[in-house]
Amino acid sequence: MDRRRGAQVAGAGIAIAAAGLCAVLLWPRDDAAPAERASTSTESTAMPSPSPSPSPSPGPSPVEQYPVDPSTYDLAALPATQVYSVIPQLPLDPEPHAPVLPLTASALAPSIPVFPEPGASPVAQLPHAQAHDGTAVPVIEQHPHWVRVLLPARAGLPSGGVVGQTTGWVRAADVTLNENPYLVRVSLSEGTISVTESGRSVYESSGFGFGTPATPTPLGRTFVMTVFTDPAATYTRGNPTTALAVQSPTLDGFGGASVAVTAFHYHDARSGPISNGCIRVDAATAQYLAGLPLGTPVLVAP
């Protein structure tokens, strides 16, 4: 798969907030079960032929776990799942350290409905394009008619006790699914960042700064939301910032903005618990991460 285009300018609000916070990782799910072997036996003496058994009557067809939803919805009044949105109806990630699939989903239409669960009414919309990206979203669960994805909106604020990565369900017919073989893993305790492509290591880095106990780096899974370069953020020394879809677990906003975006970015001071949550990396790592496809999953481990 082609790596994503070079860093681009997102928005001043994100650039300010990204000065404070940080990241998360994952790996492809392997649901393949080993094949079962059938055994046969033979007898040394002839046996009478058994009477034919009657064929069993066909039972009821299994019920589709998440049936297709053919409804048309008016999305005009629904909030967009973007970085500045707070949408309480969106569920938080129930398994923040679980794997994800090597897939991203993108809306086929200008905007599509987002559901808290299959069969419920939609509570938000996922646009095909928006100012701060976040529209190529990683798939964490896949069914014939539905997929569950990670989203860039928040479900609440830390001051209200609501923290974590949001998720939502979209109809399979509403999205394009694209393979994404990349995965970023961050270990705070080991001080390592590793990138794999289809399970093969393609980049490794060690030694970085991360959040203090008062402003910790969020743990669990998230994804690359957008990439930008902010000349006003002189501490980055012109290197790109890779903003993630998860926000601070302790700050409602940062630097005068109403968001507290986590990110990978360059900083001269980048050792141990030193930041407001962001992962401070060297220039080579900042450049490499900025080239990953939007929607690439990131998993941060303690």
Side-chain angles (χ1 to χ4, degrees), residues 223 226 247 266:
F223 63 96
T226 192
Q247 300 190 38
Y266 176 87

Side-chain angles (χ1 to χ4, degrees), residues 65 127 142 190 208 228 262 284 293:
Q65 183 178 6
Q142 185 179 22
E190 297 179 4
F208 54 80
F228 61 91
T262 66

Side-chain angles (χ1 to χ4, degrees), residues 12-221:
I14 292 233
I16 294 171
L21 311 156
C22 241
V24 196
L25 334 171
L26 319 124
W27 51 94
R29 186 194 305 271
D30 182 5
D31 291 326
E36 295 182 357
R37 294 180 299 175
S39 61
T40 59
S41 62
T42 59
E43 298 291 343
S44 58
T45 58
M47 298 293 291
S49 299
S51 301
S53 300
S55 300
S57 301
S61 299
V63 176
E64 168 62 51
Q65 183 178 6
Y66 299 127
V68 65
D69 177 3
S71 303
T72 299
Y73 296 97
D74 182 1
L75 307 182
L78 296 179
T81 54
Q82 51 101 0
V83 65
Y84 286 94
S85 296
V86 177
I87 306 173
Q89 299 90 340
L90 289 177
L92 296 176
D93 188 354
E95 298 182 274
H97 297 283
V100 296
L101 300 175
L103 297 171
T104 58
S106 300
L108 280 171
S111 203
I112 63 171
V114 177
F115 305 78
E117 59 184 23
S121 297
V123 297
Q125 56 178 299
L126 176 65
H128 177 74
Q130 53 192 6
H132 305 294
D133 292 320
T135 54
V137 292
V139 176
I140 60 173
E141 195 173 337
Q142 185 179 22
H143 299 270
H145 306 302
W146 296 85
V147 292
R148 192 174 194 178
V149 297
L150 303 181
L151 295 166
R154 289 194 283 187
L157 301 177
S159 59
V162 182
V163 299
Q165 173 69 59
T166 56
T167 72
W169 290 86
V170 294
R171 297 179 295 189
D174 289 340
V175 296
T176 298
L177 296 178
N178 295 299
E179 291 186 3
N180 180 5
Y182 293 100
L183 167 66
V184 183
R185 292 187 179 95
V186 176
S187 172
L188 299 183
S189 60
E190 297 179 4
T192 58
I193 297 172
S194 63
V195 182
T196 58
E197 180 184 359
S198 299
R200 178 178 61 89
S201 177
V202 292
Y203 188 84
E204 293 187 1
S205 177
S206 61
F208 54 80
F210 52 93
T212 68
T215 55
T217 296
L219 301 177
R221 57 186 176 181

Side-chain angles (χ1 to χ4, degrees), residues 3 184-186 191-195 203-208 239-242 264-266 270 279-292:
R3 296 178 66 209
V184 183
R185 292 187 179 95
V186 176
T192 58
I193 297 172
S194 63
V195 182
Y203 188 84
E204 293 187 1
S205 177
S206 61
F208 54 80
N239 288 288
T241 293
T242 298
F264 294 103
H265 67 77
Y266 176 87
R270 52 176 189 273
I279 295 179
R280 299 179 177 184
V281 298
D282 58 75
T285 301
Q287 294 288 343
Y288 187 90
L289 295 175
L292 293 173

